[in-house]
Amino acid sequence: MRLLATAALLALGLLVSRPPVVVGDAPDGLETLADYIARFGECTDTLSLPTLSQRPDTHIQHTPGGCDYGGLPGYWNSTARDAGTAWRVLTPGCATRNLLPQHAGTADCKGGPKRPPKIVLILGDSVDRELVQGASKFLDLELLKCRRVRVLQPACGDAVVATMHLYGVSMEGPWHYNISEPYTSILKGAVEHDWRGHYKLPDPDLVVMNSNMWDISRAYQLAQANLTNDWNMRMLPRAFVDEWLANATVMVNFVKRTFPHAALAWHTVAPGSHKYDAYGTMNHLTIGRHSFVVQLNAAGRMLAQRFGMSLVDYDQMVAGFHDWSYLKDQHHPSEQSS
């Protein structure tokens, strides 16, 4: 078994192809480029991509009951030599294809890309950062960084994978890392100045979302400030989960307005390493308990159903494995499991 997170990227790659969107007036509340640069600095790297203006006018549709590779029952073949063949789907007629070699830095790029590039944007937390960094190392691709956006420089120009941090679905603080603004402000600036401004990228074909660990971290911060239940609680209060669902619903609608032609997907996260007590207490204090991750993963699956989003169920992909086989620390995926 190699690179579970790269296999998650493989599942995402089976979903894409979308037209560009004409950028109109700057969104309300968007700070000027000068102010943005003053806060986050200049960007110096360059993304090399051909034929971005020649993308096909096709639409991605999520078909219930179809080959939704991120959520179909399957298992890991531990004897597989390549990460792209390790995941075996049980549903007849939905066998996966190994797409990883064509995206590797060693791929044969003679003649250039055969089609306009497919673009995947992952909105999430540090789990997604590690996923993209792990894929960068495994595929031997350069990882470009411009302020709030990280982009894999594709070898043959046929696919782009990028990530931005969300810092949680709540519009009210506290937020992780002492962030002082909600995701709406973060995405407006990153999309306008980093994505469209610096990298000159059109809107993505597919947007994959995840907001779990940092929202649990927010619950910890609230508990530490004595604003909610004691942090020794066995489960997140139902009111917290309901509020998370309401906030996540608003967030998904915001993303839909930002990228109106993009297909949407949600992914679950794997639980972090935990102490061997009766309550599933995580070693990393701010992640609380195993039950917290389970609760928000379940809420994320419900959210995907409500919006008809594709689901990449990473939690189910690693179910049954010991946490040391897919984690590099307390809760981040290892390079082998990325």
Side-chain angles (χ1 to χ4, degrees), residues 66 68-76 87-92 94 96 313 316-317:
D68 187 1
Y69 291 95
L72 288 176
Y75 64 93
W76 285 104
W87 180 248
R88 299 292 176 86
V89 174
L90 298 177
T91 305
C94 289
T96 56
D313 207 338
Q316 290 302 309
M317 287 182 174

Side-chain angles (χ1 to χ4, degrees), residues 311-331:
L311 177 69
V312 179
D313 207 338
Y314 185 61
D315 179 30
Q316 290 302 309
M317 287 182 174
V318 300
F321 291 97
H322 194 283
D323 54 32
W324 58 258
S325 68
Y326 61 84
L327 296 176
K328 75 171 189 178
D329 52 28
Q330 307 291 353
H331 58 286

